[in-house]
Amino acid sequence: MDCLFCKIINGDIPCSKVYEDDKVLAFNDIEPQAPVHILIIPKEHIKSAAEIDESNSVLIAHVFEVASKIAKDMKLDGFRIVNNCGDCAGQTVKHIHFHLMSGREFTWPAG
Ligand code: 5GP
Ligand code: ZN
């Protein structure tokens, strides 16, 4: 499958790894938008948040457990988790991923 993040999971493309287990991989974003900008992805190829259903929601819950663990391990003083779903939301890589961002102030509402 021609998917950038599947290639990172397979090791065909290198990444700066932050966390890995049998179900999830987390690595630093190549173009960070904050001092801490980590992408957390399930190893299973799911295209977007629009495909979350009863068959994979336990896996997605695990992604959030990993986000919390990373935040604790890095002693983050607050963080933002972002998921862009679909072209209008700015999703450029069609393998579901969650941006874990920290280390600066964030505005709300997001643009
Ligand atoms: P999206 O715009 O789909 O929500 O987020 C995709 C993210 O993947 C972007 O923040 C972009 O910087 C990041 N990205 C794109 N290509 C690579 C890559 O080859 N390696 C890493 N580590 N991040 C990437
Ligand atoms: Zn993929």
Side-chain angles (χ1 to χ4, degrees):
M1 187 190 301
D2 192 25
C3 169
L4 175 67
F5 286 174
C6 282
K7 286 177 184 162
I8 288 178
I9 291 162
N10 295 336
D12 295 337
I13 294 175
C15 72
S16 163
K17 195 185 296 180
V18 173
Y19 173 91
E20 182 171 23
D21 63 26
D22 56 331
K23 300 186 224 40
V24 165
L25 177 68
F27 52 97
N28 289 308
D29 197 291
I30 205 166
E31 214 175 298
Q33 303 300 314
V36 174
H37 188 168
I38 295 164
L39 300 174
I40 311 176
I41 65 175
K43 290 187 173 177
E44 178 186 329
H45 182 88
I46 298 167
K47 272 189 258 173
S48 78
E51 296 205 340
I52 297 173
D53 61 21
E54 65 281 358
S55 75
N56 56 30
S57 57
V58 170
L59 174 59
I60 299 302
H62 183 60
V63 167
F64 281 84
E65 284 180 41
V66 168
S68 171
K69 177 180 166 39
I70 291 170
K72 278 191 197 77
D73 289 350
M74 295 181 72
K75 297 184 168 43
L76 299 183
D77 181 24
F79 54 88
R80 178 170 284 183
I81 294 175
V82 174
N83 169 259
N84 298 321
C85 177
D87 292 330
C88 75
Q91 183 180 5
T92 57
V93 180
K94 303 301 194 278
H95 179 132
I96 192 170
H97 51 280
F98 296 86
H99 302 254
L100 173 63
M101 306 168 82
S102 186
R104 67 166 167 84
E105 294 290 316
F106 295 93
T107 57
W108 190 261

